[in-house]
Amino acid sequence: MTPKKTGKVYLVGGGCGNPEFLTLRGQKVLSRCDTVVYDALVNPALLAWAPEDCERIYVGKRAANHALPQDGINELLVKLAKEGKEVVRLKGGDPYVFGRGGEEGVALHQAGVSFEEVPGITSVIGGLACAGIPITHRDCASSFQVVTGHLKNDAAHLDWKVLAATKGTLVFLMGMKNIEKITANLIENGMDPKTPAAVVREASTPRQETVTGELENIAEKAESLSAPALIVIGEVVKLRDDLRFFDNRPFFGRRFVVTRSRAQASKLVEKIQEEGGESVMYPTIRIQPVASEMARLKTVIGHLADYSHLILTSVNGVALFFEQLDACHKDARALAGLTVTAIGKATAAALKKHGVTPDIVPKQFVGEALVEALAPELSAADRILMPRSKNARPYVMEALSKICEVDEIKIYETLREDRTDVDVPALLKSRDVDYITFTSSTTARYFAEKIGPDCAALFKTSGAKCASIGPKTSEQLKKLGLPVDIQATTYTIDGLVEAIKEDCIKAH
Ligand code: SAH
C-alpha cells in the first residue's frame, strides 16, 4: 500500500496588487499546488500560475461581508491538508501584516498540520513606494508605525498620545471608514495639523489613485476614495514630487483593448503594461492548423533534399513547421542544405530559437520585398518549399512560380475567435476604453464582426481611439466605418506602441 501523502499549507503573500510582485518562492509553490484558497485583495492574475486542474476556492474577505468566517477558513485549510493536499493560502500583501495569517498559522500548528509562510510585498512598503513615498528617509523619518484603522468601539486600544508624538511615518491600513476620526484623534493629541499626509488607493495597480494634503484636510480631500487604501502621515509624503515613477508613465490610467490572437498578444500586452497601461484581451482571431496540409508537410519533410529553398513567412508558420519536423524525429540539421528566407524580424527570431539563422531577411516585411530579394538568387533548377497561411496573398506564389517550381503548403488558417472573457461593447458604451489596437486587417474585420452591426455607431460615442499598425489595416478600418486615429510609422508592434505614446503625450 502506498503511504498516504501528507498535506501542507503554504501561507503565501501575493504582494500588494501588481501581479509581478509575487516572490519566486510564492510562484514556485503556487505552480505545483493542489488547491488555492484566496481572498478578495489578491490579484486574480496570480491564479494563472496555478496548475490548470488545481482547485480554486474563493473565501473573499472585504471589510464587513466575509464570504467565509475566519474559523471556517481555518477549518477548511486543516481539512484540505489532512486530505493530503498541498494547499496555497494566497493573501494580499504579506500574510502577517493585518492578514490574519498569524491566526491561520496557529490553527494549523494546533491541528498538527505542517505549514510554511512565504512573505509577500506588503502594501505598507510596496504600495507607498509606487506612490513615490518612501516609508523612511534619512532626513525626515527614522522609524515607521503600521496601525490598524479598524477602530474598536472607543479607539482606546491605540495609544493616540504615542502615535501623535511620533517623529516617524504613520501608516493606517483599513482606515478609510474612520479617516476623520483618525486625523482628529492625532490633532487632539498634539500632532501638527500641517503634517503632510496622503491617501493611496489600489496602490501598484493600473487604477492607483493618490491624494496628498495635510493632516487637517486629508480626510476631506480624499473623501471620494474608498477601500482598499493606505493613509500615510509624515514628512516622507513630500518626497513624492521627486520619487514618482509609477503614475506618471505615458499609458498610466489608460485602458487598451488588444485584438490579437491569445497566442500572439503577449508582446503587445507586456509593452502596454510596461508603460503603465491596463490591457484587456479581446482576441478576434485564432490560428487553426489544417490537418490535411500538415500531413502533406510531413511527407515533404521526408524529401527535404529535393528542395534548394525554404521560405517561412510568419511565427506561426515556423512553429508548425518545427512541430512537424520534430514529429518526424528530425531537427534543424535537416535544413543544412537549404537556403532559408524569413519575412519579418519576428519570424527570423523564431527561427533563431530553433537554431537556424535565416540566409535572407528582406528589408521590408511584405511579399514584394521578398520577391525582389530572392528572385536574383533563383534559377529554373531551384525548388522552393513554402509552408504558410491559407489566407496569404497569392502574389509571392505567382511571382516565384514564374522562375522555378514552388510547393506552397497551406498549413494553417486564420479563423475568427468567438470565445471572449470580456464584454467589450459594454466597456465601449460606458466610455471605459481609451485605445483599441489593430495589428492586421483581419483583426479589424473580425473585431467589427464580433461587436456587431452597430460597431461604427458605438465607436462614435465611446471616446475610444483606433490605433492601426499600418496602411493595410487602416484601409480596412476605414472600410468598416471605423476611425483611424493613430497609424504607426514603422509597421511593427514597437512602432504601434510608439505612435500611441505620442498621442498620449499630445493629449496630456
Ligand atoms: N496583508 C495586507 C494588508 C491586509 S489588510 C498587506 O500586507 O498589504 C487590508 C488593507 O490593506 C486595506 O484595507 C488597505 O488599507 C491595505 N491595502 C492592501 N492592498 C492595498 C493596495 N494595493 N492599495 C492600498 N491599500 C492596500
Side-chain angles (χ1 to χ4, degrees), residues 426-439:
L427 286 178
L428 287 170
K429 260 185 215 133
S430 55
R431 299 178 61 88
D432 282 323
V433 176
D434 297 287
Y435 294 100
I436 308 211
T437 57
F438 295 98
T439 46

Side-chain angles (χ1 to χ4, degrees), residues 5-284:
K5 201 174 133 195
T6 41
K8 181 164 178 172
V9 177
Y10 296 86
L11 298 175
V12 177
C16 57
N18 182 335
E20 292 195 10
F21 286 0
L22 181 68
T23 64
L24 291 176
R25 180 75 187 148
Q27 190 215 80
K28 187 190 266 178
V29 295
L30 193 52
S31 56
R32 65 170 195 222
C33 69
D34 302 303
T35 309
V36 191
V37 179
Y38 66 103
D39 283 347
L41 262 188
V42 162
N43 188 328
L46 293 182
L47 298 178
W49 290 112
E52 223 158 78
D53 58 351
C54 157
E55 184 185 16
R56 291 156 164 83
I57 306 178
Y58 176 70
V59 290
K61 290 203 291 184
R62 196 155 249 184
N65 52 0
H66 286 201
L68 191 62
Q70 189 60 48
D71 286 350
I73 297 175
N74 296 355
E75 278 165 28
L76 175 69
L77 296 177
V78 169
K79 178 178 139 284
L80 291 166
K82 290 207 162 159
E83 285 169 6
K85 298 200 167 113
E86 278 208 19
V87 182
V88 164
R89 169 69 176 117
L90 190 58
K91 288 170 166 288
D94 182 89
Y96 286 169
V97 179
F98 297 128
R100 305 192 74 166
E103 287 165 63
E104 291 173 11
V106 170
L108 292 165
H109 172 71
Q110 286 177 349
V113 169
S114 95
F115 80 96
E116 173 183 323
E117 201 261 7
V118 181
I121 296 180
T122 176
S123 58
V124 176
I125 301 192
L128 287 188
C130 289
I133 303 173
I135 194 143
T136 68
H137 189 275
R138 197 179 155 88
D139 297 338
C140 61
S142 308
S143 68
F144 61 85
Q145 291 195 59
V146 180
V147 188
T148 175
H150 206 66
L151 306 181
K152 292 182 188 151
N153 292 340
D154 53 0
H157 63 296
L158 294 175
D159 189 335
W160 291 97
K161 274 217 158 359
V162 171
L163 292 176
T166 186
K167 301 242 175 308
T169 307
L170 286 181
V171 187
F172 285 87
L173 269 65
M174 304 175 285
M176 288 315 282
K177 279 215 176 83
N178 294 317
I179 185 165
E180 278 180 40
K181 259 195 224 157
I182 291 167
T183 50
N185 280 348
L186 290 170
I187 293 170
E188 266 166 40
N189 284 279
M191 191 176 239
D192 182 356
K194 299 284 179 212
T195 310
V199 170
V200 186
R201 178 171 198 268
E202 292 211 56
S204 84
T205 76
R207 298 166 301 283
Q208 176 175 304
E209 275 179 83
T210 304
V211 170
T212 54
E214 289 160 351
L215 183 59
E216 62 181 0
N217 63 14
I218 192 69
E220 197 186 324
K221 286 180 106 175
E223 206 177 22
S224 64
L225 300 192
S226 56
L230 304 152
I231 305 168
V232 52
I233 299 157
E235 293 297 322
V236 287
V237 169
K238 282 192 179 155
L239 290 156
R240 172 168 157 81
D241 292 341
D242 290 331
L243 299 184
R244 263 178 90 166
F245 69 94
F246 185 83
D247 51 2
N248 53 3
R249 288 170 299 167
F251 291 174
F252 183 79
R254 295 192 155 95
R255 185 177 280 145
F256 291 72
V257 170
V258 175
T259 58
R260 297 199 102 184
S261 71
R262 244 172 258 278
Q264 285 184 304
S266 60
K267 185 176 172 198
L268 180 55
V269 166
E270 199 174 307
K271 288 204 170 279
I272 290 169
Q273 283 167 356
E274 207 57 37
E275 302 290 346
E278 182 177 5
S279 44
V280 170
M281 297 257 259
Y282 190 63
T284 55

Side-chain angles (χ1 to χ4, degrees), residues 285-304:
I285 55 172
R286 71 188 161 88
I287 303 304
Q288 176 78 40
V290 177
S292 56
E293 290 287 274
M294 283 292 275
R296 190 154 81 85
L297 177 63
K298 208 167 179 177
T299 317
V300 165
I301 283 174
H303 304 99
L304 277 180

Side-chain angles (χ1 to χ4, degrees), residues 366 438-441 444 468-479 484 486-492:
V366 289
F438 295 98
T439 46
S440 67
S441 51
S468 147
I469 198 164
K472 290 236 155 55
T473 306
S474 302
E475 224 172 83
Q476 180 65 261
L477 284 169
K478 282 182 204 150
K479 243 191 251 166
V484 181
I486 295 158
Q487 184 182 299
T489 341
T490 319
Y491 314 150
T492 58

